[in-house]
Amino acid sequence: MNTILIKLFATALTLSQVTTRPDAVRTQFDPGTDGAEVVQILRDGCAHMRKAFDIEDINLDELISTAMEDPSAVAGAGAPKLLHGLDIGELNTSYRQFCKGENPKDSPFDAAEVIAFYNKAVTDLPSAEALRDAKLPGASVILDGSGKPYAETFEANGRRLTVPIASVPPLVRQAFVAAEDKRFEIHHGIDERGVIRAFIGNLASPGRPQGGSTITQQVVKNLSVGDDVTYERKIREMIVAGRLERILTKPEILGLYLNGIYLGRGAYGIEMAARSYFGKSVGDLTLPEAALLAGMPKGPNYYSPDKYPYRARERRAYVLSRLKEEGAITEAQMAQAVTSDLGLKPVETARRDSGFYVVDHLAREARTFGGLDSLTAASFTVRSTINAGLQRATESVLQDGLATYERATGRQSFTGPEFNLADAVRKIEAAAPAPSPAPAAAPVPPPAAEAKASPEARRPPAKAASARPPVAKVVGPKPAWLRALESARAPLYDVHWPLAVVLEAGRGPVRVGLADGRIASLDPGIARGKLQVYDAVRVKLREGKGALRAEIRVRPAVQGAALVLENRTGRILAMSGGFSYPVSQLNRVTQAVRQPGSTLKPLTYLAALNAGLQPNTLVMDSAVTLPPIGGIGDSWSPKNYDGGGSGATTLRRGLEFSKNLVTARLLQGGIAEKAPASLQRVCDIALEAQIYAECERYYPFVLGAQPVRMLDLAAFYAAVANEGVRPTPYALEGIERDGKAIYTHAARDPVRIGSADRVAFYQLKTMLQGVTNHGTAAALARNSAYVAGKTGTSENENDAWFAGFTNEVTVVVWVGYDNADGTRRTLGRGQTGGHVAVPIAGSILQAAWANGVPRTPLNPPSQEARRNLIDLRVDPRSGERVAGGGFLEHFRTQGDGRMADTQYRLVPRETLYAMRPDAEDGDGLGGAEDGADVRGDFFGNRAPESDFLDPYGGRGQQPGRSRRAQGDLDGYQDGYRAWPGQTSRSPFGDEDVSRPRRRDPDWLFGDDPRY
C-alpha cells in the first residue's frame, strides 16, 4: 500500500472517530482482528461528511471529481512534497469503496498497515486535562523603585502577558473567531467541513497549503502536541482537540488561544501584541486595531505591518468583511475601519542592556520569599528596589574600571572580535534588488508604491553630524553593514561600550562604522594588525573638534562586583555581579565569598572602642607575636605591608592608615585581657552583625583572612552609618498577578547590633571618615565630608576592596580574578584596594548623587550617643590635647560627664619617654627590640603602610614605586589633609605639626600648655 495513502487513511480514521463517536475514540486497534471495524468506521465517517455538506447544499462528489480531473496537478513538480508519489487512481478507488458503498476488486486498502501507522501515531497521547490546568509561560514585567517598567523576563517563545478572557472585549473575540474559525461556536473541536475543504483545495491547487484547523486544534498544537508538519501530529491533534472540547467551555478554549498565539514583534498572546503594536492594553483596542491583530495568526511574518503594510491592510480588510458578514459591525463601521491608518507604535529596536544580574537575583528572591517556582511561569508584575539610572551607571563604571586596571598594568589580551558580520552583510547584499540607472529627476513615488516600500527606504535621510566625511552620518538607504549591525544580537549584550564595525583594516588607519551611521577612525591598540573587515568590536569614542576618533576596548579577564545599598531600609539600589552576565552568571555580590582584607578591620576597632579605648589611645605599631590559642598550633607574628613599623600611633591613625600591627596589638589587652578572649569578642560582633554564620577563631581573622559575602559586608557598613542599626538587604518589594498581591515585602523593625553601643559606632564612623580624608582612601578626600569607608587588600593582592557609606547609601566594590579552577591569581604588586577599588567606588558615588541620592555631610551623633560624648581638640599625631587648633576628636565620657582618658592605657608614658629621640641610651625609636622603623618618630610621623593583609609574613616595599604612586598610600601622614570644616592655615591649626611635643611622664600640671 502506498505510504501516503496509509497516512491519509489513518488521518481519515481519526477524523471519522472524533466526528461520529467522540465519546468512544479508540487509540489502539488489533491489526489482525479489527480490520472490519476500521472499514466500518471509515464508511460511517464518509457518510457523516456527505451529510454535513448536504446541509450547505454542496455536492461532495462533484467537489472531489473536480479536484481529481487533472491528476498531473498533484503529481507534477509543483505538488506538495507530502503528496509526491500518490496514485490519484488509487485515491479515487478508495473514495468509491468507502464513500460510495462499492467493493472494487482493485482496492489498494490494507487495514493492517493503516492500523499499524495509527497505533504508533497515538502512542503516549497527551492528556487534555493537562491543557485544562496549563499555566502558560509568561513575561513578567519588572518595575524599578519608582514604579516604572524596567525589564521583562520570559522564556524562549514565551514573551506573553496572560489576561483572563473576560477582560478581552467581545469585538476582539469576534474578530479572531471570524478570521480563524467561523464555526467555532457550533463544532466540537473538529470542523469536518473545513478539513475536507482544505484537503480538496490542496489537491486541486497545490501551492500554499490550507490547514483547516479549528481554534481548538490550534490550541492543542501550540500548547501540547507541537507544530511538526506531519500526519502523526494531525492525528494526535484531532483526538486531543475533541477531548478538550468536552472538559472546557468555549470561552475557556478561546482564552487559551488568545493568550497562546504568536502575533509578531516577539509578542505571544493578545495582550502583549496590543502593547507591542499599539502601546495599549487589549481592553483599549479599536475596531481597526483588533482586526489587524486578528488577521495575523495566519502568518505573522507574511502579514507583518512593519515589513508588508499593504498585505496587512488587505488582511485587515478581509477580517472586517467577515465581521460585517457575521453582523458584528455595520457597513459604515467597516468602511471607516478599512480606510483608517494602521496606527502602529514604532518598533522598539533598543534591547535591554543592563540589570541581568538584578533580574536573576529577583528571580531567586521570588522563589525564596514569594514561593514561586519561576517568574516566567506566568505573567507577574514584580516591584523591585532598583534605581534604574544608578544601576546602569554602576555597571558602566565597573566595566570601565576593570578595563582601566588591565590597560594600566599591561594585562590586556586581545583574543579576537566580539563577532563578525561578513556573512550577514553578504546575505543582505544578495537580497537587495539590482540598482537601476537613476533618472535625471526622480519622481515622487505614488502612494501605492510608497506603501510597498520597506521601512528603511521610506525613512528620511539622517542629518550629517559634520561636514567632514569621516564624521558624517549615512545619508539615504542604510548600507548593508549598518543593517547587519542593527539586526545582530551581540554576545556581550550588557557591555556598555559602543559597538563598531570594521570597514577598512590594514596597515594604515582603521575605519569603523557606528550604530548611528557615523564613521570614525579607530586606534586599534592591542588589536593592531589583527582586525578584519566586518569585525564587530567595542570602542571608546573621543568626540571633539575634527574627525571622530575611537579607541579599542577589549573584554578584561579580571572580574569585579559592586553594590549600592540604602542604609536605613536595606533596599538594593544597584547591583553588578560581574563584568558581564553572558560571560559569567555568577553573582559575586550574593553568591561568592572572598577574603575582605582590611575592610574587616573596623570590627576589631569597634570592639576596642566599645571596651573603652578612645580614638587617641596610643598603640605600638611594632612587631608582635601572639601565642597559640589554647596552646594548639603556632604563634602568630603578622607584619605590615613593608615589613616595618612606625612606633606609637593613635588608634585613629592605626585604622586610617590600615596598620596590621596595630590591629593585632589590640588583641593584647585592648579589648580583653588575653588575646583569645579579645578575638572572641570580635567574633561575637561579626556573628551578631551577620557578616558570618560562624567565625573561624584564628588570629588572622581580624585582618580579614576569612572570606566574606559582599552583601553581608555591605550590611555591616550600613550599620556603622546607622550607629549600629543593621538593615536586611533586599531587592524584591512585591509580586502581583492579575492585580492581586502574591507577595509583599514586610517592613522589619531595625535590628541593633548590641555587641557595641552607639558611642562606639559613632566614633568608628568618624575614624572611617579619616580614611577617606587622608588615609588609604584619600583619593576620595574631595568628598570626605560626605563619605566614610575602608579599603582592603587580601594576601598577595588577590582581592582589592573598598566599602564605604554616606548618610544614605553604602557602596562596596571588589576587584579580583575568579579562582574557581583552584588557582589564585594576584592583581599584581601594589594593586591595592585604594589603587584599584576606590576610583570605581568614587565614580559610583558620583552616579548615586546624580540619580537622586542626596549629597549631605555625614550626620553628627544621635541624641543617645551625644549624651555620652565630648568633643576635645587634640594633636592629630600624638593624640595629645591642645588648647587651640588641632583636630576635634570625639571622646567617650565617664558617668560624671568627663572624658575617659585611655591614651596611655596600652603604651605607658614611661615607654614613650624612653623612646624619645634624645634618649640617653640611644635606643631611639624602639631599635631592634620592637622592630620600629628608625625613619619615623614615636608618634608615627612617617609614610603609612598599605592595608595589605599578610597574616603569615611580610615583604618589603615595592621596588621602583614611590609611596604616592601606590594608591592606598596616597594620603601619607606628612601630607595630612584638612578635616572637613577646618579653615586654619595649617591643616590642624598648628604651625609646626611635624615636631612631636615632648612630655615628661611625671608632669603634674594637667594638659593645658599654659601651665
Side-chain angles (χ1 to χ4, degrees):
M1 188 175 180
N2 183 278
T3 302
I4 298 177
L5 206 56
I6 293 173
K7 296 177 179 179
L8 289 175
F9 272 117
T11 306
L13 176 62
T14 308
L15 181 61
S16 297
Q17 289 194 88
V18 297
T19 55
T20 63
R21 44 196 291 186
D23 296 331
V25 174
R26 288 186 61 175
T27 56
Q28 289 294 310
F29 291 93
D30 189 310
T33 61
D34 291 337
E37 182 180 356
V38 167
V39 170
Q40 188 58 50
I41 291 173
L42 288 171
R43 285 178 171 173
D44 292 345
C46 192
H48 176 83
M49 299 298 171
R50 294 171 66 89
K51 184 182 297 185
F53 277 90
D54 287 344
I55 295 174
E56 295 187 7
D57 295 328
I58 296 175
N59 190 313
L60 187 59
D61 291 343
E62 291 182 2
L63 278 176
I64 293 176
S65 61
T66 300
M68 296 182 180
E69 282 178 356
D70 186 10
S72 63
V74 176
K81 292 182 179 181
L82 287 178
L83 297 180
H84 274 300
L86 176 64
D87 188 324
I88 299 300
E90 291 184 349
L91 184 62
N92 198 14
T93 300
S94 301
Y95 172 70
R96 288 189 288 107
Q97 177 181 357
F98 294 104
C99 294
K100 307 275 293 180
E102 301 178 6
N103 292 303
K105 295 180 181 180
D106 57 346
S107 172
F109 181 75
D110 185 327
E113 290 184 300
V114 172
I115 289 172
F117 181 85
Y118 175 84
N119 287 349
K120 184 178 180 181
V122 297
T123 301
D124 298 326
L125 199 65
S127 165
E129 286 73 18
L131 278 177
R132 178 188 59 193
D133 303 325
K135 303 297 183 183
L136 296 179
S140 290
V141 177
I142 296 172
L143 309 180
D144 65 15
S146 64
K148 297 179 181 179
Y150 173 67
E152 293 177 356
T153 179
F154 50 87
E155 296 177 1
N157 303 328
R159 185 171 174 261
R160 168 188 295 107
L161 294 175
T162 302
V163 292
I165 187 62
S167 66
V168 180
L171 189 60
V172 176
R173 288 185 253 172
Q174 289 174 316
F176 278 88
V177 170
E180 290 294 306
D181 187 2
K182 67 178 182 179
R183 299 182 66 246
F184 173 69
E185 295 295 341
I186 58 175
H187 66 61
H188 299 288
I190 307 297
D191 183 1
E192 54 269 44
R193 287 177 253 183
V195 173
I196 296 301
R197 279 200 182 94
F199 177 71
I200 294 174
N202 292 336
L203 284 176
S205 303
R208 184 179 177 88
Q210 302 177 41
S213 295
T214 64
I215 283 177
T216 311
Q217 286 177 269
Q218 292 183 57
V219 168
V220 172
K221 179 185 72 174
N222 293 336
L223 304 180
S224 181
V225 300
D227 58 356
D228 294 338
V229 186
T230 63
Y231 286 95
E232 291 91 333
R233 188 267 294 172
K234 200 70 174 178
I235 290 170
R236 296 161 69 83
E237 175 188 295
M238 286 193 289
I239 295 175
V240 178
R243 292 175 175 176
L244 188 64
E245 285 273 348
R246 299 200 305 275
I247 61 176
L248 289 183
T249 65
K250 290 291 185 177
E252 289 172 333
I253 293 172
L254 186 59
L256 282 173
Y257 173 74
L258 292 178
N259 281 306
I261 52 175
Y262 178 65
L263 294 169
R265 283 198 179 184
Y268 287 79
I270 184 67
E271 176 67 15
M272 182 62 80
R275 297 189 186 192
S276 297
Y277 283 102
F278 306 111
K280 59 177 67 173
S281 180
V282 63
D284 300 320
L285 290 176
T286 64
L287 172 60
E289 292 168 348
L292 180 69
L293 295 181
M296 295 186 66
K298 188 175 180 66
N301 184 62
Y302 186 81
Y303 294 109
S304 168
D306 300 313
K307 298 179 180 178
Y308 312 108
Y310 60 97
R311 292 180 186 171
R313 287 179 180 275
E314 291 175 353
R315 182 66 179 166
R316 183 181 67 176
Y318 165 75
V319 176
L320 290 169
S321 68
R322 287 286 303 117
L323 284 170
K324 168 63 173 57
E325 290 174 14
E326 297 294 328
I329 61 174
T330 65
E331 183 76 34
Q333 287 176 312
M334 183 185 74
Q336 182 179 7
V338 164
T339 58
S340 67
D341 188 74
L342 291 179
L344 299 176
K345 174 187 173 184
V347 180
E348 295 180 358
T349 56
R351 300 184 176 107
R352 179 167 64 91
D353 65 351
S354 70
F356 293 93
Y357 285 107
V358 167
V359 172
D360 194 30
H361 180 68
L362 287 169
R364 294 174 188 277
E365 287 201 338
R367 287 194 294 271
T368 302
F369 303 118
L372 302 182
D373 292 333
S374 170
L375 284 181
T376 61
S379 300
F380 300 104
T381 298
V382 181
R383 301 184 181 277
S384 77
T385 62
I386 297 301
N387 180 319
L390 178 56
Q391 174 64 37
R392 194 176 194 284
T394 298
E395 293 178 16
S396 297
V397 167
L398 181 63
Q399 289 167 3
D400 285 340
L402 298 179
T404 298
Y405 156 76
E406 287 205 342
R407 285 199 310 276
T409 55
R411 295 193 173 196
Q412 269 189 327
S413 176
F414 181 74
T415 57
E418 191 164 333
F419 57 100
N420 186 278
L421 290 171
D423 290 341
V425 170
R426 279 193 292 269
K427 290 179 181 179
I428 291 173
E429 291 177 339
S436 57
V444 177
E450 182 179 358
K452 294 184 180 183
S454 67
E456 290 82 1
R458 300 199 314 274
R459 187 171 296 172
K463 293 182 179 180
S466 170
R468 299 173 64 91
V471 189
K473 290 184 180 179
V474 175
V475 177
K478 294 181 181 179
W481 67 263
L482 182 54
R483 295 172 61 189
L485 180 60
E486 289 178 339
S487 61
R489 177 63 162 167
L492 303 183
Y493 45 78
D494 62 347
V495 172
H496 301 154
W497 302 322
L499 272 171
V501 180
V502 176
L503 303 180
E504 292 181 9
R507 296 182 178 179
V510 177
R511 295 177 70 248
V512 294
L514 304 174
D516 60 4
R518 291 184 295 171
I519 308 298
S521 176
L522 174 69
D523 176 5
I526 194 173
R528 189 175 303 280
K530 302 177 183 179
L531 298 175
Q532 299 180 3
V533 174
Y534 298 133
D535 278 348
V537 296
R538 298 285 179 173
V539 299
K540 179 78 170 181
L541 298 178
R542 301 294 184 189
E543 303 195 47
K545 295 182 179 179
L548 179 63
R549 305 188 67 83
E551 297 175 358
I552 193 82
R553 287 291 181 268
V554 299
R555 189 186 91 188
V558 70
Q559 274 291 356
L563 174 68
V564 183
L565 185 71
E566 195 170 70
N567 294 335
R568 297 293 179 185
T569 63
R571 298 168 76 243
I572 295 173
L573 302 184
M575 170 197 294
S576 183
F579 171 76
S580 172
Y581 187 79
V583 172
S584 169
Q585 287 77 56
L586 176 68
N587 188 336
R588 293 157 186 82
V589 173
T590 62
Q591 296 176 302
V593 292
R594 299 291 294 232
Q595 282 188 334
S598 295
T599 56
L600 201 72
K601 285 179 182 175
L603 276 176
T604 303
Y605 285 82
L606 180 63
L609 291 167
N610 195 67
L613 297 189
Q614 302 280 22
N616 75 331
T617 300
L618 293 172
V619 187
M620 288 304 301
D621 181 24
S622 59
V624 61
T625 296
L626 300 182
I629 298 177
I632 302 174
D634 298 327
S635 58
W636 183 51
S637 300
K639 294 185 179 180
N640 284 329
Y641 186 68
D642 64 359
S646 54
T649 188
T650 63
L651 193 68
R652 168 181 287 279
R653 291 170 68 79
L655 181 61
E656 290 175 345
F657 298 108
S658 204
K659 304 283 190 175
N660 291 341
L661 296 176
V662 171
T663 307
R665 279 188 173 272
L666 287 175
L667 300 178
Q668 279 190 324
I671 300 171
E673 184 177 351
K674 300 293 185 181
S678 295
L679 176 62
Q680 185 58 54
R681 290 193 186 179
V682 177
C683 281
D684 290 342
I685 297 178
L687 294 175
E688 188 180 2
Q690 300 181 43
I691 299 177
Y692 297 105
E694 58 182 279
C695 175
E696 297 288 344
R697 293 188 71 252
Y698 69 128
Y699 293 126
F701 171 84
V702 299
L703 300 184
Q706 182 174 338
V708 68
R709 192 172 67 142
M710 177 183 285
L711 192 67
D712 300 324
L713 186 66
F716 168 69
Y717 274 81
V720 177
N722 298 336
E723 282 189 10
V725 178
R726 181 193 183 276
T728 300
Y730 73 100
L732 181 63
E733 291 281 15
I735 306 172
E736 299 172 3
R737 183 179 181 186
D738 300 331
K740 297 180 180 179
I742 295 177
Y743 166 78
T744 301
H745 175 77
R748 301 181 182 180
D749 293 334
V751 179
R752 172 161 293 284
I753 300 174
S755 299
D757 63 11
R758 284 184 175 271
V759 171
F761 272 107
Y762 182 74
Q763 288 179 310
L764 177 63
K765 181 170 78 169
T766 67
M767 292 163 66
L768 291 173
Q769 191 176 18
V771 175
T772 61
N773 179 255
H774 46 253
T776 58
L780 299 175
R782 182 178 300 177
N783 293 304
S784 63
Y786 315 97
V787 185
K790 185 71 186 72
T791 54
T793 311
S794 70
E795 184 182 9
N796 296 326
E797 291 101 337
N798 288 317
D799 307 271
W801 291 83
F802 175 77
F805 53 84
T806 68
N807 286 328
E808 291 77 21
V809 296
T810 290
V811 175
V812 183
V813 172
W814 167 82
V815 177
Y817 288 94
D818 286 338
N819 54 18
D821 59 357
T823 61
R824 299 190 69 188
R825 185 177 177 186
T826 176
L827 291 167
R829 184 67 173 164
Q831 302 304 317
T832 58
H835 188 73
V836 179
V838 166
I840 297 173
S843 296
I844 292 175
L845 283 166
Q846 295 292 340
W849 292 328
N851 283 278
V853 175
R855 185 172 185 261
T856 57
L858 288 174
N859 290 332
S862 63
Q863 291 184 358
E864 296 92 330
R866 170 54 66 191
R867 283 195 289 267
N868 297 295
L869 282 169
I870 185 172
D871 296 342
L872 299 171
R873 293 195 172 273
V874 299
D875 180 272
R877 289 169 177 76
S878 67
E880 292 289 340
R881 290 178 55 188
V882 295
F887 168 71
L888 197 64
E889 187 58 271
H890 310 277
F891 292 96
R892 180 187 295 272
T893 60
Q894 303 178 96
D896 57 5
R898 293 184 299 172
M899 179 189 78
D901 191 357
T902 64
Q903 184 177 10
Y904 301 103
R905 178 183 294 181
L906 301 182
V907 182
R909 293 174 184 265
E910 294 81 2
T911 301
L912 285 177
Y913 183 78
M915 293 171 57
R916 65 185 183 179
D918 58 349
E920 293 181 0
D921 59 8
D923 211 13
L925 298 177
E929 184 175 335
D930 60 14
D933 192 325
V934 298
R935 291 174 295 171
D937 61 24
F938 57 81
F939 288 124
N941 290 322
R942 51 151 301 181
E945 283 73 30
S946 163
D947 58 5
F948 174 68
L949 162 64
D950 187 0
Y952 307 111
R955 62 182 71 78
Q957 182 179 338
Q958 180 185 10
R961 288 181 65 89
S962 69
R963 292 192 176 277
R964 179 168 288 276
Q966 292 188 48
D968 269 359
L969 318 182
D970 208 22
Y972 56 87
Q973 293 176 8
D974 288 339
Y976 240 78
R977 291 177 173 82
W979 191 257
Q982 296 281 66
T983 58
S984 57
R985 187 155 55 90
S986 167
F988 298 94
D990 193 339
E991 292 295 330
D992 187 13
V993 294
S994 63
R995 181 177 62 82
R997 190 175 167 213
R998 294 183 58 188
R999 178 176 296 276
D1000 191 318
D1002 298 322
W1003 184 254
L1004 302 176
F1005 302 101
D1007 289 326
D1008 194 322
R1010 293 176 294 176
Y1011 295 99

